Amino acid sequence: MISVVIPTGAGAKRLIPTLASLVPGAAAGLVREVLLVDSGDTPEVADIADAAGCEYLAGPEDAGARLRAGAAAARAPWLLFLEPAGLLQEGWAREVRSFTDQIERTGAAERRAATFRLALDGFGVSPRVKEAAAMMRHALTGRPRPEQGLLLHRRLYEALGGHVAGAHADRRLLRRVGRKRLVLLRSQILLPEEG
């Protein structure tokens, strides 16, 4: 089972569709809890958490510290870090369950993490070019965009030192995960084109 950690702040209106995309995982018994770690900038996040059955945590302004606080409060062995505007696409829960089951079966929880394929919301050429660029970047560097989410076992998270305070904490954690440990899942995460 997984704990989903979402650092929130400005832009609470995008949070509702993200939470809705998690429903298949909750219905399948995969998602144990969703933690909204808020900077306190938007008071409606607490109301959204209450209405959606999520846990609300008031956190510091620093995004890295909020992510770390969410991981510390999480109760499940697997952690899924998501952006508030990321929409997990159909089939994600089945694939995440398959990934976590295989990793646990093979004893690789400290050696493997996963991220979702990038899909950008929008029509025309521009979003498709940006998606292709993201795939190329991943192929060349092994590093996805942090907005693509990160799924990893708590033991690996702790072995890597977790999120550190400061700007771009999510990017720094992805760097420490490294190319050899990161699996690109077939499931997509839909993000706003400007994201």
Side-chain angles (χ1 to χ4, degrees), residues 105-120:
R105 215 175 27 253
T106 60
E110 292 89 10
R111 297 189 308 273
R112 287 285 189 213
T115 189
F116 297 96
R117 290 187 188 277
L118 177 68
L120 294 174

Side-chain angles (χ1 to χ4, degrees), residues 5-8 61-69 71 80-86 113-115 137 142-152 157 160-179 182 189 191 195:
V5 178
I6 303 175
T8 59
E61 185 68 30
D62 180 84
R66 275 185 283 145
L67 288 162
R68 189 176 193 86
L80 175 58
F81 296 97
L82 290 179
E83 288 293 311
T115 189
R137 172 192 160 115
R143 286 192 209 131
R145 291 170 45 170
E147 300 89 355
Q148 289 175 239
L150 179 63
L151 173 68
L152 72 170
Y157 181 78
L160 294 170
H163 288 93
V164 294
H168 308 295
D170 48 4
R171 290 184 195 281
R172 291 188 300 211
L173 180 58
L174 277 171
R175 254 186 252 122
R176 290 195 311 276
V177 168
R179 178 182 200 139
L182 196 61
I189 185 166
L191 296 169

Side-chain angles (χ1 to χ4, degrees), residues 31-115:
V31 174
R32 176 178 181 167
E33 63 187 348
V34 177
L35 300 106
L36 304 181
V37 190
D38 190 49
S39 64
D41 292 342
T42 44
E44 59 265 19
V45 172
D47 296 334
I48 292 169
D50 184 49
C54 301
E55 187 171 338
Y56 175 84
L57 300 170
E61 185 68 30
D62 180 84
R66 275 185 283 145
L67 288 162
R68 189 176 193 86
R75 295 176 296 201
W78 286 91
L79 304 171
L80 175 58
F81 296 97
L82 290 179
E83 288 293 311
L87 302 175
L88 294 173
Q89 300 297 283
E90 187 177 340
W92 76 268
R94 183 178 53 254
E95 187 165 11
V96 164
R97 171 139 0 237
S98 176
F99 173 79
T100 58
D101 287 351
Q102 180 186 28
I103 295 303
E104 288 178 353
R105 215 175 27 253
T106 60
E110 292 89 10
R111 297 189 308 273
R112 287 285 189 213
T115 189

Side-chain angles (χ1 to χ4, degrees), residues 117-118 128-145 148 179 184:
R117 290 187 188 277
L118 177 68
R128 304 302 77 85
V129 169
K130 291 177 183 176
E131 290 169 359
M135 285 296 289
M136 182 80 74
R137 172 192 160 115
H138 184 79
L140 294 174
T141 67
R143 286 192 209 131
R145 291 170 45 170
Q148 289 175 239
R179 178 182 200 139
L184 184 63

